[in-house]
């Protein structure tokens, strides 16, 4: 994934974050996250997801993932929708995600 490419996060058709690629570690893409109006509603879910992962509470992390995927969509830099993604937006303004052209299996892999 090219550094500087901008992926976009949407809620109800409205862009709420821009994710500018800074690198990656396959299968993860890393980015800086610019939050926009509308993101604040989801900030606590991303924070809870991060805490759950830190606590190794994967059931809680999965519940956060489900809430994120139920409410948010992501687009590639060319504007096409991403079929499946597992996104983390951290409190320090960075983000990481993995994505697929096909839905993940039930284990989120």
């Amino acid at each position: 994934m090219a550094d500087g490419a901008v992926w976009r996060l949407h809620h109800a058709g409205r862009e709420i974050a821009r994710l500018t690629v800074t690198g990656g570690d396959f299968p993860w893409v890393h980015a800086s996250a610019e939050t926009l109006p509308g993101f604040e509603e989801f900030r606590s879910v991303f924070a809870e997801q991060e805490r759950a992962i830190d606590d190794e509470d994967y059931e809680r992390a999965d519940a956060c993932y489900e809430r994120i995927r139920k409410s948010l969509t992501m687009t590639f830099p060319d504007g096409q929708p991403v079929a499946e993604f597992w996104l983390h937006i951290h409190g320090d303004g960075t983000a990481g995600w993995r994505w697929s052209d096909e839905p993940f299996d039930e284990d989120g892999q």
Side-chain angles (χ1 to χ4, degrees), residues 26-108:
F26 185 81
W28 292 93
V29 179
H30 303 286
S32 60
E34 174 191 359
T35 60
L36 303 169
F39 180 81
E40 203 56 41
E41 176 181 344
F42 300 97
R43 187 176 305 277
S44 63
V45 178
F46 284 104
E48 181 180 345
Q49 179 188 52
E50 191 168 12
R51 284 190 304 274
I53 291 168
D54 288 346
D55 294 343
E56 297 182 6
D57 183 345
Y58 300 113
E59 187 173 312
R60 195 170 93 218
D62 286 347
C64 292
Y65 163 75
E66 291 298 326
R67 289 191 311 215
I68 291 165
R69 286 297 292 129
K70 221 179 254 188
S71 301
L72 303 177
T73 59
M74 181 183 269
T75 55
F76 291 103
D78 68 3
Q80 294 298 311
V82 176
E84 185 70 72
F85 62 91
W86 188 4
L87 173 65
H88 305 277
I89 296 181
H90 308 288
D92 66 359
T94 62
W97 70 93
R98 32 188 312 188
W99 61 274
S100 176
D101 289 330
E102 302 286 331
F104 294 145
D105 66 25
E106 291 182 16
D107 294 329

Side-chain angles (χ1 to χ4, degrees), residues 16-30:
I16 63 167
R18 291 184 188 125
L19 310 171
T20 302
V21 175
T22 58
D25 183 18
F26 185 81
W28 292 93
V29 179
H30 303 286

